[in-house]
Amino acid sequence: MSKPPASNPARDAVRSFVPKLIDLTEKVVYGDVWERPGLSKRDRSLITCAALVAMNRTEQLKGHVARAIDNGVTRDEIVEVITHMAFYSGWPTAMSAAGVAKSVLEGGDKK
């Protein structure tokens, strides 16, 4: 998956309130960082999902689980990342992430 679509529900919800943040997100995060050749998008997705699990950022995890699937990460790999992170970021963060990932992977939430 390359750059995200210009329109994204999560970003669009706050675009008028924090336009510069959205501009930087689209141009720097997705337009530069995610396009760097040092890591594949698949690897970047695994790393990002692990970081979001560790920080208990469930709102952002929703979109990144879906993006990870688009980038070639398997359902089993996402489950394994969550399980692995339980021992590094804590059981509660992994349990929260498991609920989010289950919802996304089973089609309940693809934000």
Side-chain angles (χ1 to χ4, degrees), residues 96-108:
S96 294
V100 169
K102 180 180 187 291
S103 178
V104 172
L105 294 170
E106 291 181 353

Side-chain angles (χ1 to χ4, degrees), residues 8-80:
N8 170 285
R11 289 193 303 269
D12 289 345
V14 295
R15 186 178 300 274
S16 65
F17 185 66
V18 286
K20 187 60 177 178
L21 176 61
I22 301 308
D23 182 56
L24 290 168
T25 299
E26 292 172 348
K27 290 180 179 167
V28 177
V29 176
Y30 293 114
D32 181 21
V33 175
W34 274 82
E35 297 299 317
R36 293 173 50 82
L39 292 170
S40 68
K41 287 184 180 61
R42 180 189 180 286
D43 291 348
R44 289 184 193 279
S45 282
L46 278 171
I47 293 164
T48 301
C49 285
L52 293 172
V53 170
M55 294 184 293
N56 201 26
R57 300 301 194 254
T58 55
E59 281 300 312
Q60 285 69 39
L61 185 60
K62 292 175 190 176
H64 281 282
V65 167
R67 184 179 180 89
I69 294 295
D70 290 344
N71 285 337
V73 176
T74 67
R75 179 188 187 280
D76 288 343
E77 289 170 323
I78 290 169
V79 168
E80 191 61 29

